[in-house]
């Protein structure tokens, strides 16, 4: 068995049963997509966008601005999975982690008729020599992706499309 271990790299391995990122990616997306965000509660947030004649880019900017103005980012440093909390809870409390805000953004975009995909970003600065080892610490975060633009919901007051990193490997589920 050539799978990496905690002892070799000095940090916990994300899904130690997976030998590489290609094997780990389906598990990441399965976790993220395990909670349905296409709910009535989400559809009620900006119902006017579904029938709006605005461009897709304009709609995405409006959704981004809405989330930035109405939700607070609160990541739990002890939470090592990518399962978002229920959207109803997020909407009531007006705060959530980057994975919840990303799930909300993607669902709101879908409600507006726009197909936005989730992507996981691996920082190139953290994974130079051991990029094939599926380690949780190498994941920058989960983001929304549309038309070659990575959209980061975890940076308050950052401009649309700003990620906070210059280069990254993007993991997709397609």
């Amino acid at each position: 068995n050539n799978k990496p271990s905690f002892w070799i790299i000095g940090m916990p391995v994300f899904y130690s049963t997976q030998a590489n990122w290609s094997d780990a990616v389906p598990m990441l997306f399965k976790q993220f997509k395990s909670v349905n965000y296409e709910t009535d509660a989400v559809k009620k947030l900006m119902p006017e966008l579904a029938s709006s004649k605005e461009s897709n880019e304009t709609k995405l900017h409006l959704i981004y601005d809405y989330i930035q103005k109405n939700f607070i980012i609160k990541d739990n440093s002890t939470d090592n999975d990518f399962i978002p909390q229920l959207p109803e809870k997020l909407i009531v409390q007006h705060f959530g982690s980057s994975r919840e805000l990303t799930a909300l953004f993607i669902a709101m975009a879908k409600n507006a008729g726009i197909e936005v995909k989730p992507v996981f970003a691996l920082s190139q600065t953290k994974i130079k020599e051991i990029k094939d080892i599926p380690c949780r610490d190498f994941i920058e975060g989960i983001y929304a992706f549309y038309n070659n633009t990575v959209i980061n919901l975890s940076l308050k007051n950052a401009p649309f499309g700003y990620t906070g990193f210059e280069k990254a490997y993007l993991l997709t589920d397609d």
Side-chain angles (χ1 to χ4, degrees):
N1 185 341
N2 291 328
K3 291 180 177 70
S5 72
F6 174 83
W7 305 109
I8 294 170
I9 63 171
M11 60 184 77
V13 172
F14 180 77
Y15 289 118
S16 60
T17 58
Q18 305 305 312
N20 54 50
W21 285 107
S22 294
D23 293 343
V25 165
M27 296 179 93
L28 286 168
F29 284 100
K30 182 179 179 183
Q31 279 189 346
F32 181 71
K33 293 178 178 181
S34 67
V35 176
N36 180 19
Y37 260 66
E38 296 175 41
T39 66
D40 289 339
V42 172
K43 290 176 183 174
K44 289 177 184 176
L45 292 178
M46 294 182 79
E48 68 280 3
L49 284 183
S51 60
S52 172
K53 301 293 184 207
E54 298 286 347
S55 70
N56 285 349
E57 287 76 16
T58 300
K59 289 179 185 180
L60 291 177
H61 281 267
L62 290 170
I63 295 167
Y64 180 84
D65 290 344
Y66 176 86
I67 291 172
Q68 289 289 309
K69 289 176 186 166
N70 293 288
F71 293 88
I72 297 169
I73 182 78
K74 276 191 166 183
D75 276 323
N76 183 346
S77 61
T78 62
D79 192 359
N80 286 328
D81 66 25
F82 290 96
I83 301 170
Q85 68 178 319
L86 296 173
E88 293 79 9
K89 183 175 179 183
L90 171 69
I91 291 167
V92 168
Q93 64 192 17
H94 288 278
F95 69 83
S97 69
S98 59
R99 70 182 164 268
E100 279 109 29
L101 298 182
T102 298
L104 179 63
F105 180 87
I106 292 169
M108 289 176 74
K110 186 169 188 171
N111 189 48
I114 307 166
E115 187 66 32
V116 175
K117 297 188 177 268
V119 294
F120 286 90
L122 306 177
S123 170
Q124 284 188 338
T125 60
K126 293 181 184 174
I127 59 172
K128 291 179 183 162
E129 289 79 35
I130 52 177
K131 66 181 178 186
D132 292 328
I133 298 174
C135 180
R136 167 70 172 90
D137 287 354
F138 300 150
I139 299 173
E140 263 321 302
I142 185 159
Y143 305 101
F145 187 73
Y146 176 78
N147 200 20
N148 292 323
T149 301
V150 178
I151 305 158
N152 184 351
L153 281 294
S154 66
L155 298 173
K156 196 68 171 170
N157 300 319
F160 181 88
Y162 177 78
T163 59
F165 51 85
E166 189 174 316
K167 294 181 181 179
Y169 295 102
L170 297 181
L171 303 176
T172 64
D173 65 343
D174 49 17

